[in-house]
Amino acid sequence: MISINLAKQIIFQKTRLIKGVEREGFLQAQGRVLAQDIRTTTDLPAFNRATVDGFAVKSVDLKAQSAKFPKLLKIIGVAEAGCPSKKIIGKGQAIKIMTGGVVPKGADCVAMKEYCRQKGNEVFVGQAVRKGEGIAFKGEDAHKNSLIIEKGNLVTPAIVGLCATLGLPFVKVFGRPKTAILVTGNELLNVTQKLSSGKIRSSNQYSLFTQVKESGGAPILLGIARDDRRALITKIKSGFECDILLISGGVSVGDCDLVPSVLRTLGAKIFFHKVAVQPGKPLLFAKKNKTLIFGLPGNPVSTMVSFHEFVRPCILKMSGRRDFLTKTATAILAEEIKLNPARTKILRGKTLLREGELFVKLSEHQGSGNIISVVKADCLFKVPEGVRKVVKGRKVVVEYLS
Ligand code: AMP
Ligand code: MG
């Protein structure tokens, strides 16, 4: 049995970047991974822009003004956003300007409307204005051809906006790893089937489907296979078309756990089987041609937690992501926890903020079959092997689930 860290190392080492890059509309690209850097196509801003409504003026005219000692300036034009004024401002002059307007030549600042009083063609400015005030200067945010965001980042709403700003209707994104999902077990029923003696409705393919999607993979459901060699062989073979194959159930040591031997028969290379972790001990990792195969223990909690711990980083790496750490935080344990020290534990927790401090408690009873413990959890946290008790008040690092 190998450690979590070694298992992750092996998975990481065997995971290659997906082949092929797609050209995607910038709006559709949200949530995809950039396969190109994004550089500015112009200076940003592209012109000296008014950041307030008011009057474009010369700062020398308004060195020591105040409400009591306003200065009277002559208005010689108007510069609305999108409608620049061609006039050049001289001493004693002003151009009325709106936020987003091009600051006219000759002006070096914009006096805010709130401190101005217009009377016909003239304006009283009742405040000193310093050079540069009220202006966002050309290139102030970034110069033309500056690297703004590197490949490997997720396209966020802000990046969608950036693409529009830069006039990039298409961006290159990495392909989504095709991820086949097979659930196995004689006891499994479909969602709409009526429960009968000893049968359960299969949930794992659906939790996995959504986890794969959330991680940026393209999930493909292969259905339910009975614990029967022939059925398994047919279904597993169809999964070899994909980049990743997830098989839930049938990977442990029971008489009906046929997945490891079927994989061997099909010529898959098994890198490891069993990891010193709870839940998730029977985890299996293998490869057939280009397909990476994960055998996930069938208990719903084990399946989801193993996915989060082992499969998610693999999908992220394959999809070209730069960083694939989940969000973590340090939380104070709100209750004492007693544990079986045999293996590293991955516990399901619920965080809560109390008077500005982050606490975490167990989400429910921690049995591997108790799906409610994941439903009510927002994080996972690990307790290393050999620890029998963690006292209340101890700090732990929690890893958020989404
Ligand atoms: P296994 O890993 O096949 O030994 O299954 C372990 C436990 O998980 C058993 O109680 C199974 O009934 C349950 N189980 C297996 N597959 C699923 C599934 N797809 N959905 C829900 N529970 C499952
Ligand atoms: Mg089974």
Side-chain angles (χ1 to χ4, degrees), residues 184-188 227 248-252 256-258 298:
T184 71
N186 289 333
E187 73 280 34
L188 302 181
D227 295 315
S248 125
V251 281
S252 195
C256 294
D257 294 331
L258 306 173

Side-chain angles (χ1 to χ4, degrees), residues 379-390:
C379 67
L380 301 175
F381 61 100
K382 293 195 184 90
V383 177
E385 194 178 319
V387 176
R388 286 175 192 281
K389 187 170 90 175
V390 191

Side-chain angles (χ1 to χ4, degrees), residues 262-318:
V262 166
L263 284 174
R264 268 186 214 102
T265 306
L266 289 173
K269 179 164 171 42
I270 296 177
F271 299 116
F272 63 77
H273 184 196
K274 289 192 188 137
V275 178
V277 60
Q278 188 185 20
K281 180 170 117 179
L283 184 78
L284 175 151
F285 180 57
K287 190 176 177 185
K288 166 77 183 178
N289 301 332
K290 63 151 198 175
T291 309
L292 295 181
I293 306 159
F294 290 87
L296 307 169
N299 264 314
V301 178
S302 315
T303 304
M304 278 185 268
V305 170
S306 307
F307 178 94
H308 185 84
E309 191 68 19
F310 302 101
V311 185
R312 184 180 171 275
C314 169
I315 295 183
L316 297 192
K317 185 178 178 196
M318 200 178 266

